[in-house]
Amino acid sequence: MECKAAGETVFAREVLFEGNCEQAVDTELTLPDYCPDIGRLLKCRLVPMITSRQVNFDSLAVEGTARISVIYLDDRDKKIRCCDRDYPFKASVPYDGGTENVRLLAEARVDYVNCRAVSQRKLDIHGAFTVHMTAVCRKENELVTGVEGEDLRLRMETRAISDLVSCAQTGFDLSEAIELNEGKPPISSIIRSGAVICMEEMQIIPGKLTVRGNAIFTMVYCTEQDAAPERLEYVIPFSQFFDIPGIDEDCKTDVSLCCDMLEVSPRTDSDGEYRRVDVELRVSADIRVYRDREVSWVSDAYSVDYELNCVRKQVRLERLCDTAFDTAVIRQTVDAGDIKIESVSDLWAGISDSRGSWRDGRTVITGNMAVCMILRDPSRGAVYLEKNLRFECGVSQPVSGQNLRPEIGVNVKSCGYTVTGDNRLEIQAELCLHSSLYEDIPARQICSVELDESRPKSPENRPAAVLYFADEGEELWDIAREYNSSVESIRLDNDIEGDTVGESRLLIVTA
């Protein structure tokens, strides 16, 4: 006989698919007429930018642009120059998980890029990058909260969880017209540009979420007057509203932002000089909204009259414990080796990989930071040097729980340097840190119960009471199940509080 079960619905974020798609970059680049001839190659950069994400009925697909930037020393003036070229790409992977309520998260990481000058105006470029795709959805799970049945004993487990109210993927645009400071020479050509999104604050009002932060824009450009490049840094503050149905002040949020696209266009002023740039940014936002609640479910069951046929099921629950934003300063020394440092033309850094682990009230973040430098040597001119530095920093998150899992984000906000007298550079990098700490809650539950009336527990073989010597820490549920008793009667007969035996002792167990 099947017993009637009662339940309630909880919602959680479920990963439906996770995989990689490799993209090869094999192309030739010919310098446009306005670029001077190549004297010596310094650095070839590959920057993949994702512009769209799409979930189809049979595939996951992204589109974007792979920007190739060749930084070189020109043959005529020995100035540092750059030539950019954008190449569109499409990446897809097979997928058959359905399209309803599915979001596609995607990020691209460069594997390698090599550049060879075929002539002073033609380049042969080979590289690759990997697009990592994750399909997620808001999944409905049914928790069994009770089972009706005569003389049926139920074991309940109760935990605090975070119920997923909403998950959304959206984006917004930022634009800024930036004027060069007085005294700065006008722009001849742009050598390098980049932007980092640093989130600082989130605020909830009913139905809306406000996210505040800064986009840190950096540009290095060549001038006509001087061989040394100029550097421009500019902070673009933003305050963005998102419409989120169901959100209120009692909710928790987890938001991650990244820069999908950056376009920089030099513009002339009234004197006809290139003294301003128009900056266009596309920022993507992955938003999760949770509401804390307490839930109970049936984790085990037995009958005092019949054997049971039970079907068990594992349900994944989680709790958002804490979300923290912070900054950290990393200081390390770089040896220039056989390069004699006369000056530093450009220096920048990026995170190549990172991981987080929680211990002792702190999320510890470790990873690798690639520091890229264009140095000027008195005898060799401009020389490119790259160093990979290990780093470790942390975010204070003094929470309690088991199976704690941090989801982290790390960006280089700024990177400075000091040239020392021993041909070394003291690197000082400021990092933007974001850590969302989750507790994974495995819920193994009874989802259906059937009394097997063909296998009764014979009453005549059941003693009215037994003496049982219990070990310290033994669970009352296991004892009650073994002897067809109940946890409540064992507690009452033996003056026990809680669910376990405090110390080894003799117990009276009544049927």
Side-chain angles (χ1 to χ4, degrees):
M1 180 180 68
E2 187 171 353
C3 300
K4 185 178 180 181
E8 66 174 306
T9 301
V10 295
F11 292 91
R13 180 177 181 266
E14 183 178 22
V15 176
L16 302 174
F17 173 87
E18 191 168 12
N20 295 322
C21 182
E22 294 184 356
Q23 293 289 112
V25 178
D26 296 299
T27 187
E28 288 186 348
L29 189 152
T30 301
L31 298 184
D33 293 340
Y34 55 81
C35 288
D37 289 350
I38 298 170
R40 178 155 47 88
L41 290 174
L42 296 176
K43 171 66 174 175
C44 182
R45 299 178 68 211
L46 174 61
V47 181
M49 297 175 286
I50 295 173
T51 56
S52 70
R53 303 163 176 85
Q54 189 170 358
V55 179
N56 303 314
F57 71 92
D58 61 350
S59 66
L60 304 173
V62 301
E63 294 185 13
T65 300
R67 177 166 296 167
I68 296 173
S69 300
V70 179
I71 303 174
Y72 66 97
L73 204 63
D74 75 41
D75 189 41
R76 183 186 61 197
D77 302 322
K78 309 304 180 186
K79 287 185 178 181
I80 299 172
R81 308 282 185 173
C82 182
C83 177
D84 291 336
R85 186 70 56 83
D86 288 349
Y87 295 90
F89 71 86
K90 294 181 180 180
S92 66
V93 293
Y95 170 75
D96 58 0
T99 60
E100 186 177 356
N101 193 33
V102 178
R103 296 177 303 123
L104 175 59
L105 310 177
E107 63 175 358
R109 287 193 174 273
V110 176
D111 299 322
Y112 71 94
V113 60
N114 296 319
C115 181
R116 182 177 65 92
V118 179
S119 69
Q120 288 188 305
R121 302 202 62 80
K122 183 176 286 189
L123 299 156
D124 191 16
I125 297 168
H126 300 282
F129 61 93
T130 299
V131 180
H132 183 73
M133 301 188 202
T134 307
V136 299
C137 73
R138 179 174 179 253
K139 184 182 180 183
E140 177 180 313
N141 291 306
E142 192 74 16
L143 285 182
V144 175
T145 57
V147 182
E148 295 180 4
E150 189 174 349
D151 292 325
L152 198 62
R153 305 285 191 259
L154 303 178
R155 185 176 193 177
M156 305 298 296
E157 188 164 349
T158 301
R159 295 290 297 271
I161 70 163
S162 295
D163 209 15
L164 185 61
V165 176
S166 175
C167 56
Q169 187 180 41
T170 183
F172 59 94
D173 296 318
L174 295 175
S175 61
E176 192 81 6
I178 303 173
E179 300 278 350
L180 297 184
N181 292 334
E182 182 122 6
K184 284 279 190 180
I187 302 166
S188 173
S189 62
I190 296 173
I191 298 173
R192 181 180 63 82
S193 62
V196 174
I197 309 298
C198 294
M199 190 165 46
E200 297 181 349
E201 183 185 5
M202 293 182 292
Q203 184 178 1
I204 297 173
I205 57 176
K208 293 184 182 295
L209 173 67
T210 304
V211 176
R212 296 185 179 91
N214 294 303
I216 315 298
F217 171 71
T218 305
M219 183 181 76
V220 177
Y221 65 94
C222 179
T223 71
E224 294 295 345
Q225 291 90 343
D226 195 353
E230 290 284 342
R231 184 182 182 89
L232 169 68
E233 291 186 355
Y234 194 87
V235 177
I236 305 173
F238 63 84
S239 179
Q240 185 68 29
F241 287 87
F242 301 101
D243 292 322
I244 308 291
I247 194 172
D248 58 36
E249 290 88 344
D250 295 328
C251 292
K252 292 180 176 179
T253 57
D254 182 9
V255 179
S256 60
L257 304 178
C258 69
C259 180
D260 275 350
M261 179 64 75
L262 171 64
E263 296 291 345
V264 183
S265 304
R267 295 288 185 255
T268 57
D269 60 8
S270 57
D271 296 329
E273 294 185 319
Y274 286 96
R275 298 194 54 80
R276 66 169 245 185
V277 288
D278 289 346
V279 179
E280 303 284 341
L281 287 165
R282 178 66 179 173
V283 181
S284 66
D286 179 38
I287 302 171
R288 300 181 230 172
V289 179
Y290 295 91
R291 191 185 305 278
D292 284 347
R293 58 185 287 204
E294 191 174 82
V295 295
S296 300
W297 63 89
V298 180
S299 61
D300 201 0
Y302 68 90
S303 168
V304 298
D305 294 324
Y306 299 98
E307 298 293 339
L308 295 184
N309 295 322
C310 298
V311 177
R312 290 171 168 82
K313 181 182 179 182
Q314 186 84 16
V315 178
R316 179 187 171 274
L317 306 173
E318 64 183 5
R319 179 171 70 96
L320 176 57
C321 304
D322 184 60
T323 300
F325 305 97
D326 206 349
T327 58
V329 177
I330 306 299
R331 294 182 174 89
Q332 292 200 36
T333 301
V334 170
D335 190 337
D338 61 349
I339 303 172
K340 183 173 176 56
I341 304 174
E342 181 181 59
S343 62
V344 179
S345 298
D346 191 15
L347 185 146
W348 69 95
I351 303 299
S352 54
D353 67 81
S354 61
R355 60 194 62 84
S357 60
W358 185 89
R359 57 179 181 265
D360 301 327
R362 185 169 178 261
T363 294
V364 178
I365 301 173
T366 57
N368 291 294
M369 179 174 64
V371 179
C372 307
M373 298 156 278
I374 299 178
L375 310 176
R376 191 162 288 276
D377 182 284
S379 60
R380 299 156 63 183
V383 181
Y384 176 78
L385 177 66
E386 184 172 328
K387 294 286 186 178
N388 197 47
L389 305 181
R390 292 285 299 168
F391 70 87
E392 180 176 309
C393 54
V395 180
S396 176
Q397 294 187 290
V399 303
S400 59
Q402 299 177 345
N403 302 319
L404 294 176
R405 167 180 52 86
E407 295 186 5
I408 62 165
V410 188
N411 286 311
V412 180
K413 183 178 181 180
S414 63
C415 190
Y417 62 90
T418 301
V419 180
T420 64
D422 54 355
N423 213 41
R424 296 169 180 254
L425 293 96
E426 297 289 343
I427 305 297
Q428 303 157 15
E430 185 179 7
L431 307 183
C432 286
L433 309 177
H434 169 212
S435 176
S436 296
L437 191 60
Y438 288 86
E439 179 183 15
D440 288 325
I441 304 170
R444 184 165 176 79
Q445 67 166 345
I446 299 289
C447 57
S448 69
V449 175
E450 182 181 301
L451 293 172
D452 190 348
E453 295 176 328
S454 66
R455 293 191 297 161
K457 296 180 177 179
S458 178
E460 59 270 15
N461 296 332
R462 190 185 309 163
V466 297
L467 295 177
Y468 177 77
F469 189 83
D471 293 329
E472 179 183 351
E474 195 167 350
E475 293 195 4
L476 300 186
W477 171 267
D478 294 334
I479 300 171
R481 180 170 184 161
E482 178 69 23
Y483 293 100
N484 276 318
S485 182
S486 68
V487 172
E488 292 77 12
S489 65
I490 295 176
R491 285 193 189 123
L492 184 62
D493 293 340
N494 297 276
D495 194 23
I496 295 175
E497 295 182 359
D499 296 322
T500 59
V501 179
E503 58 183 10
S504 299
R505 55 173 291 191
L506 194 66
L507 301 180
I508 300 174
V509 183
T510 58

